[in-house]
Amino acid sequence: MFAKIISLQGNQVTLQLDDELNMDQLQRFANGKQPTAELIIQDERLISPDQRKKIFALIHDVSQFTGYYERDTEMVLKYRYYAKTGADSFSMSNCDMTTANQFLTFILDFCFEWDIPFRTKLWDSIPTDYHLAVQCLRYRKCVICGKPAEIAHYTAVGNRKRNHTDHRKFSFMSLCHDHHFQQHQMGVKSFVIKYHIRPVRLSDDDLIRLHIMTRKRMDEIDEEAANGS
């Protein structure tokens, strides 16, 4: 759903929706929870040289891994992107910044999904990018170096039994064994400052998908809280 920004005052935003939306729809979308929305502002400026460089570097990495010519790799990735997003065709010579960023993220997701190594310096930007940090957790890639990783809590769980812990309250990082050990040696605050890591909260679905919690345990914790246990 799209909207126009009518006014801004501090953190209060007034929007005019392109289509009507009623409370029944909101409640249905939110599945009984507090409705939330994500605000994405289209950046109409032209693709930057840095974005273009990163995209072509990734295309080169995918090409090297698959054995396809780079031009063919670019076409295949674009067709996949169009099919997934419904986006119009674009050229990397003059597309807007938002399209370039979305396509860049799409290629990175493709590399995560198919375990394609990429040798570009894009790992430098992953620790502070929420979506890509979550992808590292989903695919067990170290958010710092890309090696096989373990899921690490930002705040130590301590002596609490993990199956009795509400992990929805915690933030996570994906760290290889060496960086996980270094985190414990340095202390978590110094560690995240050194590597510019932004630990992330996981959605209920991701917590279940990563076998950190079960839906049954979430429901039990919610029921205990409702009953004042």
Side-chain angles (χ1 to χ4, degrees):
M1 179 168 289
F2 295 91
K4 297 179 182 65
I5 297 177
I6 303 302
S7 66
L8 279 171
Q9 186 173 0
N11 64 354
Q12 302 293 316
V13 183
T14 302
L15 303 174
Q16 179 180 333
L17 299 177
D18 291 348
D19 300 299
E20 290 187 2
L21 181 68
N22 58 46
M23 285 304 297
D24 289 338
Q25 287 176 299
L26 278 177
Q27 292 298 333
R28 187 165 64 251
F29 293 158
N31 195 27
K33 299 178 182 178
Q34 175 67 34
T36 60
E38 181 180 8
L39 178 62
I40 300 175
I41 300 175
Q42 185 79 11
D43 192 336
E44 302 288 354
R45 293 174 296 175
L46 290 181
I47 181 174
S48 70
D50 184 58
Q51 286 177 313
R52 190 180 294 110
K53 180 180 178 181
K54 288 178 178 177
I55 289 172
F56 280 120
L58 275 175
I59 289 173
H60 172 77
D61 289 342
V62 175
S63 175
Q64 289 290 302
F65 184 83
T66 60
Y68 288 101
Y69 291 114
E70 289 187 25
R71 180 59 182 165
D72 294 335
T73 300
E74 179 186 343
M75 291 176 61
V76 169
L77 288 171
K78 279 187 174 180
Y79 286 141
R80 284 176 171 265
Y81 176 75
Y82 299 148
K84 181 176 181 179
T85 65
D88 295 329
S89 62
F90 64 90
S91 168
M92 272 170 309
S93 64
N94 60 3
C95 67
D96 60 70
M97 277 194 164
T98 296
T99 298
N101 189 56
Q102 290 171 345
F103 187 52
L104 180 62
T105 300
F106 172 83
I107 302 176
L108 283 167
D109 287 348
F110 181 85
C111 291
F112 276 115
E113 182 179 356
W114 295 99
D115 199 23
I116 298 175
F118 46 94
R119 292 174 291 279
T120 66
K121 294 183 179 180
L122 281 166
W123 282 107
D124 295 341
S125 63
I126 287 176
T128 56
D129 185 295
Y130 174 81
H131 173 80
L132 296 176
V134 171
Q135 291 292 66
C136 285
L137 287 161
R138 287 174 178 166
Y139 291 99
R140 298 296 205 282
K141 302 282 187 182
C142 179
V143 74
I144 298 170
C145 66
K147 292 180 181 178
E150 307 160 354
I151 295 176
H153 287 81
Y154 173 66
T155 303
V157 175
N159 294 325
R160 288 169 286 189
K161 293 183 178 179
R162 290 187 177 242
N163 61 335
H164 291 290
T165 300
D166 189 351
H167 296 276
R168 292 172 293 183
K169 298 178 180 179
F170 288 86
S171 296
F172 297 86
M173 303 173 288
S174 184
L175 302 173
C176 67
H177 178 76
D178 290 341
H179 281 118
H180 199 172
F181 179 76
Q182 186 181 5
Q183 174 216 326
H184 288 293
Q185 290 292 101
M186 291 181 62
V188 67
K189 290 186 178 179
S190 298
F191 182 81
V192 298
I193 291 172
K194 176 180 178 179
Y195 290 105
H196 309 288
I197 297 174
R198 185 183 300 167
V200 296
R201 290 279 186 96
L202 291 168
S203 68
D204 291 1
D205 289 341
D206 278 325
L207 288 169
I208 294 168
R209 187 182 294 114
L210 293 169
H211 306 292
I212 297 173
M213 291 188 75
T214 64
R215 177 68 65 186
K216 178 182 178 183
R217 184 57 192 142
M218 292 179 189
D219 292 340
E220 289 173 349
I221 290 172
D222 291 341
E223 186 176 348
E224 290 169 3
N227 294 332
S229 303

